[in-house]
Amino acid sequence: MNAFAGTVDRYAQTPRRVAWAGIVVGTLAFWLALPPVQARAPWVPIVVGLLAVACGIWALTRDVGRLAWGAVAVGLIGIGLGVLATRSSTGHLGSVVTWGSLIGSTLVWATPLAYAAVGGMVNERSGVVNIGLEGMMLAGAFFGCLGADKFGSWEMGLLIAAAGGAGFALLFAFFAIHLRADQIVGGTAINFLALGVTGYFFIQVYGQNGTPGDLPRIPNVNIGGLHEHTFFGDAIGHLNIMIWASFVLLIVAHVGLFHTPLGLRLRAVGEHPRAAETVGISVYATRYVAVTISGILAALGGAYLSIGFVGSFGENMTAGRGFIALAAVIFGNWRPFGAYAAAILFGASTALSFRLAVYSDAASVLFQALPYVLTLIAVAGVIGRSIPPAAVGRPYTKQ
Amino acid sequence: MADTATPVLELRGITKRFPGVVANDAVDFDLRKGEVHALLGENGAGKSTLMNILYGLYRHDEGEILLHGKPLDIDSPHEAIAAGIGMVHQHFMLIPVMTVAENIVLASEPTRGNVLLDMSAAEQRVRELAERFKFRVDPRARVEDITVGQQQRVEILKALYRNADILILDEPTAVLTPQEAIELFEILKELVAHGMSVIFISHKLNEVLEIADRITVLRRGKTVATVPREGATEADLARMMVGRDVLLRVEKQPASTGETLLHVEGLRVVDDRGLEAVRDVSLEVRAGEIVAIAGVDGNGQTELIDALTGLRRPAEGRITVGGREMTHASAHQFLEEGVGHIPEDRHRRGLVLEFSLAENLVLHDYAKRPYATRGFMSPRRVLDKARRLLEQFDVRGGTPSTPASALSGGNQQKVVIAREVDRDPRVLIAAQPTRGLDVGAIEFVHRRLVEQRDAGKAVLLISLELDEVLSLADRILVIYEGRIVGEFGPSVTEEELGIAMTGGRREAVA
Ligand SMILES: Nc1ncnc2c1ncn2[C@@H]1O[C@H](COP(=O)(O)OP(=O)(O)OP(=O)(O)O)[C@@H](O)[C@H]1O
Ligand SMILES: [Mg+2]
């Protein structure tokens, strides 16, 4: 049986690799037309793109399916975008595509999403859908400001933000887990509650003037020797502590989920709670912990936004990022690296869309819809299949 | 081999009430070291409930549990596990997407440095355990990829890994093929030889007589008697369970057949993995006969049933019902054409567990008169019908408004049968209709099937139980690797069938 499966796997490998190669080549078609190579002749992206399409078609004939279609699509998109780029002025191209600063701002935009997405992944893995991620993020953004302002330190800001997120998470957990309320309804209620609570206290505490200008900020890490306007300098020379911390979070989440007993138990609860209970795991306790962790992480993402990146709080300043984080969880197939990668992708498209304004404002706005389109495509199962934890969204009744 | 001195476990006066039912009524039960103690009883007698109490899943209202003579408070599975009790549930408690080793070590995982999961140590321990008790499992295989028989072994290993010395098996053979059941008995003998004590629940009297040292019978929540295996007969046990004499074989007149109602020609069906599961099957079932398809599980029966009920599109071939072309018809059209279906998996296909019994009973016809007029359901008519059917089919432990999930396994099955038979189908496809039923209920279902036949219906029975096939069928088709490999009359012997079922090789089957 096993030997048989092994042989099949080995034969199946080659066409899959070719399909992957097609995807890489298709990306290359676009890349060649961008700085620093900046090929100006339209035939360059066309030829390279066609090569990708050819890889895809070959893989299609070998039954690779989705991945092969992916290669074909990336090839065609590569041709399209590549040709567009060859026809754009080099000045515009140069100002849009500065790789170093593009990477830097991608990380900036991705980080709040990454915190919330890793949090969301943890609670979904335990079998709870947390639509309230958005509200918990917003709470983190506000309480982060409040803490930093009142205690005069950004560390306290983060602490208060985490406490605020945990508070909302516990409230949600009580309804969703103990009272077995519908998780979607409960999460939506949390979002409105957070919007109301933060809005109310914002006006009460800060009134018309908004948060003070001298708010303690989460500092950046300036790496000596990496200068501005160099690739590495722009990309990683001055990143916020929270961005570096998010890399650590990613590793911890991955190891925690897949290489510790607690992670195994968490996943068991999300897949088959009754089975988990019969080996002595408390389903309720596990879900409480998972939801609380997600609330804290979402809040940290929100706090980064307010006291790390922007430096102030504005009403509803998260503006749907919690929902995008939820999409990143799905896009990332309920895995830490996947969710993080999805957050990076969404961050990149935001970063790009701001720069595309040099071409046309309308195109830039339209471009911001890209993450959602990508999410739809991912959910429809084009890029591998996303398989949610089996018990996600279903309240558990103890016997 | 049982040591008769002290019971390792004793239940005294256990009472458990559910709303409207006394599931256990002052039950006494004891288990001796190194014995297999069988627990028998009708569907809904309270066997699973008693075991769930012992395992800490339910809390008893009265009575006490003694372990080695000392009272023990079992509040959750955690305490049961700590007390050395392991349980293989009637519906398995395994996580399909995880590996065998992950399932086994879950919640008591070996670690490196107290933090990291040590999967290689886990796999190693699983291998050692499996070797000690002489069974084969691959610790790295995913549970969803292994057979039901292997899954059951994983469940047993779960208990062994936790150092259980008391093992509860709730209807372990209901889902096994005869061959797998024989292997299970070998394993149980091995366990008992290592000093374990086993509680074994089954509806199959021959198995109980083969494996048990003592037998306790429950009826309607009460202990009827505990008897030693020696001297007990199937008829005695059946009488104790049901409270009356039970016919272990149905009586029936020779068939008088009419026109062909179900006709299948050159049918090919592909399974979920894209492999051909049904290969060139042709058969016909006439009015007034029961045709049985006998075979070892996994030889294309599921896919054949799916095709014959519109749940799966055949790749090739023709299906006609009463002369009407149905090859590409939908499940709904099959229902409309008068094809009834008792599905093999009552949880996946037979019932909506969250719905009430009344809703389950009108699942096909809720939108039709008299249950609905002008698009509105008439609750009164639905309730009337439900009450009548529950009474007529002797469904115990529920009213029309009880959710299906609260019924015992066997009573759930009766609900499905009631619905399908009551629709008065022309063709009745019965897949494993008595899986998990007690002897009394089996007799009842068999009578219904014969009644259907005598009323001029065409009945296609798909069963893994040779007893059932032999006592009901007028003609027997044997399926092997997706092909019909033989046709027999009702006087064929089990031996002959067994040989055909394994592809003609001379192997004993059951
Ligand atoms: N969770 C529950 N809620 C309400 N009633 C229940 C529940 N579980 C079991 N019952 C009832 O308790 C009685 C005993 O059920 P139990 O499952 O113990 O029967 P069983 O002997 O295992 O039957 P079977 O052989 O059909 O599995 C039944 O009448 C059943 O309807
Ligand atoms: Mg039971």
Side-chain angles (χ1 to χ4, degrees):
Chain A
M1 209 44 204
N2 261 331
F4 174 69
T7 329
V8 171
D9 275 354
R10 228 167 299 131
Y11 278 104
Q13 277 310 318
T14 321
R16 286 184 66 84
R17 289 214 186 102
V18 171
W20 273 115
I23 289 175
V24 173
V25 173
T27 320
L28 202 65
F30 183 29
W31 186 78
L32 286 175
L34 299 177
V37 181
Q38 227 175 106
R40 301 301 297 166
W43 62 263
V44 176
I46 292 179
V47 168
V48 180
L50 284 178
L51 193 65
V53 173
C55 286
I57 291 176
W58 183 83
L60 262 186
T61 63
R62 299 296 186 282
D63 267 354
V64 181
R66 289 205 175 93
L67 206 57
W69 281 115
V72 173
V74 172
L76 292 177
I77 294 170
I79 294 176
L81 292 178
V83 170
L84 273 183
T86 56
R87 297 174 58 192
S88 147
S89 80
T90 44
H92 275 172
L93 268 187
S95 75
V96 173
V97 190
T98 321
W99 290 108
S101 65
L102 203 54
I103 289 173
S105 62
T106 292
L107 285 173
V108 166
W109 289 110
T111 297
L113 300 178
Y115 278 92
V118 171
M121 187 212 59
V122 170
N123 68 52
E124 296 237 339
R125 281 288 189 167
S126 82
V128 181
V129 177
N130 187 359
I131 297 276
L133 226 43
E134 167 77 10
M136 296 172 196
M137 226 176 154
L138 186 62
F142 176 73
F143 288 108
C145 277
L146 193 69
D149 180 27
K150 298 296 170 207
F151 292 95
S153 84
W154 60 271
E155 290 97 334
M156 283 309 288
L158 283 182
L159 204 66
I160 303 288
F168 277 98
L170 281 171
L171 187 66
F172 170 66
F174 179 69
F175 280 98
I177 301 170
H178 244 99
L179 302 184
R180 296 191 289 279
D182 186 283
Q183 296 173 4
I184 305 290
V185 176
T188 308
I190 289 291
N191 288 337
F192 283 113
L193 186 68
L195 193 60
V197 167
T198 56
Y200 173 78
F201 282 108
F202 180 54
I203 307 265
Q204 282 294 311
V205 180
Y206 296 110
Q208 294 304 315
N209 307 327
T211 45
D214 59 348
L215 213 57
R217 300 267 294 262
I218 305 173
N220 290 344
V221 181
N222 294 313
I223 302 179
L226 293 181
H227 300 289
E228 250 175 84
H229 305 302
T230 62
F231 175 77
F232 285 107
D234 284 343
I236 57 167
H238 314 280
L239 294 181
N240 195 275
I241 289 186
M242 291 296 280
I243 299 181
W244 290 107
S246 77
F247 300 149
V248 179
L249 172 69
L250 171 63
I251 308 282
V252 170
H254 177 83
V255 172
L257 192 61
F258 294 112
H259 299 284
T260 67
L262 292 178
L264 185 69
R265 293 174 200 182
L266 180 86
R267 288 184 284 137
V269 168
E271 289 289 341
H272 194 332
R274 179 131 301 150
E277 179 153 331
T278 59
V279 289
I281 299 170
S282 164
V283 175
Y284 283 8
T286 310
R287 289 189 171 176
Y288 262 99
V289 170
V291 170
T292 309
I293 290 177
S294 89
I296 291 174
L297 290 178
L300 290 179
Y304 164 72
L305 202 61
S306 65
I307 55 175
F309 176 37
V310 182
S312 67
F313 178 82
E315 232 175 292
N316 193 22
M317 80 178 296
T318 46
R321 284 191 180 78
F323 293 108
I324 303 184
L326 220 50
V329 175
I330 299 171
F331 201 124
N333 211 358
W334 289 269
R335 294 172 151 269
F337 277 95
Y340 202 96
I344 294 278
L345 188 68
F346 294 166
S349 65
T350 310
L352 252 183
S353 72
F354 281 113
R355 287 158 187 253
L356 285 179
V358 297
Y359 289 104
S360 117
D361 283 337
S364 144
V365 173
L366 191 65
F367 194 78
Q368 288 186 30
L370 189 67
Y372 305 97
V373 177
L374 288 176
T375 306
L376 271 181
I377 293 173
V379 174
V382 177
I383 313 165
R385 207 171 350 168
S386 1
I387 306 165
V392 81
R394 276 194 269 148
Y396 178 70
T397 321
K398 262 194 224 166
Q399 287 294 339
Chain B
M1 70 186 81
D3 159 21
T4 47
T6 44
V8 280
L9 179 79
E10 211 180 335
L11 302 178
R12 279 194 201 150
I14 300 284
T15 297
K16 171 75 185 172
R17 298 183 197 91
F18 287 115
V21 207
V22 185
N24 290 146
D25 189 354
V27 174
D28 296 323
F29 180 88
D30 70 288
L31 181 68
R32 294 174 191 154
K33 189 167 173 55
E35 79 166 341
V36 176
H37 192 152
L39 194 55
L40 271 180
E42 288 180 283
N43 296 126
K47 306 177 297 292
S48 296
T49 304
L50 190 66
M51 293 304 113
N52 283 335
I53 288 171
L54 187 51
Y55 195 64
L57 285 170
Y58 293 160
R59 183 87 191 141
H60 49 287
D61 300 317
E62 283 160 40
E64 58 176 347
I65 301 171
L66 297 144
L67 189 76
H68 299 293
K70 283 188 224 78
L72 179 71
D73 195 43
I74 301 179
D75 230 1
S76 72
H78 204 76
E79 279 126 345
I81 293 167
I85 301 172
M87 178 158 174
V88 177
H89 296 261
Q90 191 167 0
H91 303 115
F92 291 162
M93 292 294 169
L94 297 173
I95 296 153
V97 297
M98 291 190 180
T99 67
V100 167
E102 284 172 333
N103 267 283
I104 291 173
V105 301
L106 184 61
S108 42
E109 306 85 352
T111 53
R112 249 174 302 165
N114 272 328
V115 189
L116 293 182
L117 251 186
D118 190 348
M119 274 327 287
S120 55
E123 282 160 16
Q124 187 53 34
R125 278 200 224 166
V126 169
R127 251 182 238 115
E128 280 164 18
L129 266 182
E131 224 154 81
R132 174 137 54 101
F133 295 98
K134 303 195 177 90
F135 37 114
R136 274 169 298 148
V137 283
D138 173 7
R140 290 191 181 181
R142 289 227 257 172
V143 163
E144 62 190 353
D145 296 333
I146 62 181
T147 65
V148 175
Q150 288 173 321
Q151 290 180 1
Q152 187 168 60
R153 259 161 260 170
V154 176
E155 284 278 26
I156 295 175
L157 280 175
K158 259 167 88 175
L160 296 177
Y161 176 80
R162 289 169 174 72
N163 295 319
D165 45 26
I166 297 169
L167 183 65
I168 304 167
L169 296 152
D170 194 350
E171 293 194 39
T173 55
V175 291
L176 298 186
T177 64
Q179 187 56 43
E180 284 172 327
I182 292 170
E183 287 168 23
L184 173 68
F185 291 163
E186 290 307 313
I187 290 173
L188 291 187
K189 284 174 192 151
E190 195 68 35
L191 296 180
V192 169
H194 280 78
M196 283 188 73
S197 317
V198 177
I199 304 176
F200 180 87
I201 299 179
S202 175
H203 289 297
K204 298 179 187 166
L205 302 175
N206 56 345
E207 288 177 1
V208 167
L209 287 173
E210 182 185 333
I211 190 82
D213 298 300
R214 289 191 301 155
I215 301 157
T216 291
V217 179
L218 289 185
R219 186 162 77 228
R220 305 203 171 200
K222 293 198 178 76
T223 322
V224 178
T226 300
V227 296
R229 183 223 350 234
E230 291 80 30
T233 67
E234 288 192 29
D236 293 341
L237 293 175
R239 195 176 325 105
M240 279 200 272
M241 277 169 62
V242 186
R244 61 176 166 86
D245 283 313
V246 180
L247 290 175
L248 295 170
R249 268 208 163 199
V250 260
E251 288 160 5
K252 59 182 199 318
Q253 310 299 319
S256 61
T257 53
E259 52 165 339
T260 298
L261 285 180
L262 177 67
H263 186 92
V264 176
E265 214 180 278
L267 196 70
R268 288 177 190 278
V269 188
V270 173
D271 69 11
D272 291 333
R273 288 166 301 172
L275 304 175
E276 196 167 66
V278 175
R279 307 166 188 209
D280 197 18
V281 165
S282 299
L283 59 89
E284 57 174 42
V285 189
R286 280 165 290 170
E289 70 171 346
I290 298 181
V291 174
I293 295 185
V296 177
D297 199 10
N299 275 285
Q301 291 99 322
T302 308
E303 289 77 12
L304 176 62
I305 299 164
D306 285 355
L308 293 182
T309 49
L311 294 168
R312 191 185 286 269
R313 263 213 176 166
E316 231 176 87
R318 268 190 86 195
I319 303 170
T320 56
V321 174
R324 187 184 281 247
E325 169 69 43
M326 296 291 282
T327 312
H328 296 296
S330 67
H332 184 73
Q333 285 166 316
F334 271 94
L335 280 173
E336 294 298 299
E337 209 45 52
V339 178
H341 175 205
I342 300 170
E344 57 181 338
D345 185 336
R346 57 181 170 249
H347 281 179
R348 269 183 50 224
R349 294 220 163 131
L351 294 168
V352 183
L353 287 175
E354 298 81 28
F355 280 17
S356 72
L357 296 182
E359 286 164 328
N360 271 293
L361 284 166
V362 294
L363 215 48
H364 299 319
D365 297 323
Y366 62 89
K368 285 202 210 111
R369 283 166 182 280
Y371 311 114
T373 36
R374 285 186 278 282
F376 288 95
M377 262 173 90
S378 156
R380 194 174 46 80
R381 294 213 188 93
V382 172
L383 280 185
D384 284 348
K385 167 173 162 149
R387 246 179 242 117
R388 176 172 59 79
L389 287 179
L390 295 184
E391 159 95 46
Q392 201 180 327
F393 283 81
D394 192 29
V395 177
R396 293 189 205 160
T399 63
S401 56
T402 314
S405 57
L407 286 193
S408 80
N411 281 301
Q412 291 175 346
Q413 182 73 1
K414 289 191 209 167
V415 172
V416 177
I417 292 171
R419 179 182 68 216
E420 297 302 325
V421 169
D422 186 63
R423 292 188 79 240
D424 200 24
R426 286 199 287 173
V427 177
L428 183 61
I429 297 177
Q432 305 279 10
T434 58
R435 176 180 277 183
L437 291 193
D438 66 55
V439 279
I442 290 176
E443 179 197 16
F444 177 85
V445 170
H446 284 179
R447 285 224 184 113
R448 293 289 92 77
L449 291 178
V450 171
E451 258 172 40
Q452 291 291 307
R453 173 192 88 147
D454 293 344
K457 312 293 171 56
V459 180
L460 182 66
L461 170 74
I462 295 93
S463 179
L464 307 176
E465 307 286 336
L466 289 185
D467 285 352
E468 178 162 273
V469 166
L470 286 169
S471 78
L472 284 179
D474 301 305
R475 284 191 296 132
I476 301 167
L477 305 175
V478 173
I479 192 166
Y480 176 70
E481 293 191 340
R483 286 177 217 281
I484 302 291
V485 294
E487 175 166 348
F488 300 91
S491 55
V492 63
T493 63
E494 274 196 28
E495 224 92 275
E496 285 173 275
L497 274 186
I499 290 166
M501 279 165 57
T502 47
R505 276 173 284 127
R506 296 217 148 247
E507 274 174 30
V509 161

